[in-house]
Amino acid sequence: MTSVPKSGMHLSSLQYLRGIAALAVVYFHAVVQVEQVANIRELPMSGSFGVDIFFVLSGFVMWWTTRDRKVGIGDFLVKRLIRIAPLYWVLTIFAAMVALFFGDLLRSTKFDLPHLGFSLLFLPYWNPAVAATNAEILTPVIVPGWTLNTEMMFYAVFACALAVRQSLRPLFVAVLLALVYVSAKTWLSGTTAAFYGTDRLAEFLAGIVLACTIRRVPRLSPGIWALIGLAAFATLFWMDLERPSISQFIVLGIPAVILLCAALQIEISGHLPDLPKLSLLGDASYSIYLSHIFVIAGTRVAAHVVGLDLGMANGAVFVILALVVSSVAGIVVHRTIELPLLKGMNRLLRGGRKPPAAAELGTS
């Protein structure tokens, strides 16, 4: 029986799930675009569960890459900033310029200096493109970047946990996340800090718990784990479609944990297939996630120019086109912008050390 991979090893299952999660989010936003433009709802409105997969992955990776190692708080935070910030800052500024000069292209973004500043600092702020002011619209210039605001808060919490011994870290993270959640729901509920009052915070902790217990998960056959993983993915799709009014952690977070567990168990058994194209999408998942709103907006404009009605069958064509073009564009952005930025930042801030390995990239 294949042993559990060591913390420093590349885990292909994580890359596969990153690619799947990124495409799920692209699908969701493409369907939203069809609904908003054509005012119809013919396609399944699902795919936002990609965020839940990302959050579980993030919790898992943060534990997996720091366990049994001495990691300084400052070193950890610098490493996370190097990984997350450069591409996000570049695309955020680009989006702000698009909003300034081509205001109708990005419907959810208006140029506003305070909004831009808070976005670059990974802090929630009222989106000036929306009239009302509530926690639902505390989104940055690049709207999907709200997940990065949540990620950065989690990184700060996890960094604090590095100050205590390893056996206490999961409990320490749980307490800090609970304090953040309760604060956001009570005495900070009238402020932008209300943004953090989401039960999706528990998904980070769930990923940590899975990383701590992966060695004790029953060793079932790869076929059984494949069925479990497919069932978990189907549950994610269906629950995201139905959106029941119960805890999002229960209906989406738990299936995401089960899906990750199943993928890891198949890899541990040595039966994970080699899927280079899906692995490439996983490598480029961060670029796909951040750049796809530009692709979808551009595809919408192109569809309008050629007279493509987004209703009915053409809506499906639009979504498929958005998925394909977003994937290709994301890979191009990954290779031509993201990787050079990572290398440059490492040379500047880390004395020439190499960028984090793929198994260490716990981004959304």
Side-chain angles (χ1 to χ4, degrees), residues 126-320:
W126 308 120
N127 188 335
V130 183
T133 54
N134 56 60
E136 294 296 324
I137 52 84
L138 286 166
T139 53
V141 170
I142 298 180
V143 173
W146 70 265
T147 61
L148 299 184
N149 293 348
T150 311
E151 286 270 1
M152 283 298 188
M153 182 278 298
F154 168 63
Y155 294 156
V157 166
F158 194 86
C160 292
L162 293 174
V164 303
R165 68 173 184 265
Q166 183 169 294
S167 61
L168 295 177
R169 286 175 192 170
L171 178 60
F172 196 82
V173 170
V175 170
L176 289 183
L177 288 178
L179 285 174
V180 170
Y181 178 83
V182 171
S183 299
K185 287 292 189 181
T186 55
W187 56 85
L188 295 178
S189 60
T191 71
T192 55
F195 167 84
Y196 299 111
T198 169
D199 55 3
R200 272 178 158 155
L201 297 185
E203 294 169 354
F204 295 116
L205 181 62
I208 292 174
V209 172
L210 178 61
C212 292
T213 59
I214 190 67
R215 290 184 175 90
R216 296 192 288 275
V217 174
R219 295 292 189 264
L220 305 177
S221 70
I224 295 297
W225 277 116
L227 289 175
I228 292 173
L230 287 173
F233 185 83
T235 300
L236 281 167
F237 189 91
W238 181 254
M239 289 294 99
D240 198 14
L241 184 64
E242 293 298 315
R243 303 193 181 188
S245 56
I246 56 177
S247 169
Q248 188 145 0
F249 172 69
I250 293 175
V251 299
L252 295 178
I254 292 177
V257 173
I258 295 172
L259 176 61
L260 174 56
C261 181
L264 287 166
Q265 290 300 320
I266 294 171
E267 182 166 13
I268 289 170
S269 71
H271 290 82
L272 188 73
D274 183 22
L275 303 171
K277 289 184 173 59
L278 186 54
S279 184
L280 176 59
L281 289 175
D283 290 339
S285 59
Y286 187 48
S287 292
I288 293 171
Y289 184 81
L290 289 182
S291 66
H292 78 273
I293 62 165
F294 303 102
V295 174
I296 291 176
T299 306
R300 183 193 76 233
V301 172
H304 176 73
V305 170
V306 301
L308 180 65
D309 177 15
L310 296 187
M312 303 301 287
N314 285 344
V317 172
F318 175 84
V319 171
I320 293 172

Side-chain angles (χ1 to χ4, degrees), residues 1-53:
M1 181 180 296
T2 305
S3 62
V4 177
K6 296 179 180 179
S7 60
M9 293 181 65
H10 178 91
L11 293 173
S12 295
S13 54
L14 303 189
Q15 294 304 92
Y16 292 175
L17 287 181
R18 285 194 183 100
I20 291 170
L23 291 184
V25 173
V26 174
Y27 170 84
F28 175 77
H29 287 142
V31 172
V32 168
Q33 195 76 192
V34 171
E35 180 177 326
Q36 290 178 346
V37 172
N39 198 29
I40 61 171
R41 190 168 183 175
E42 297 292 335
L43 298 170
M45 184 70 74
S46 184
S48 67
F49 62 81
V51 171
D52 303 276
I53 295 175

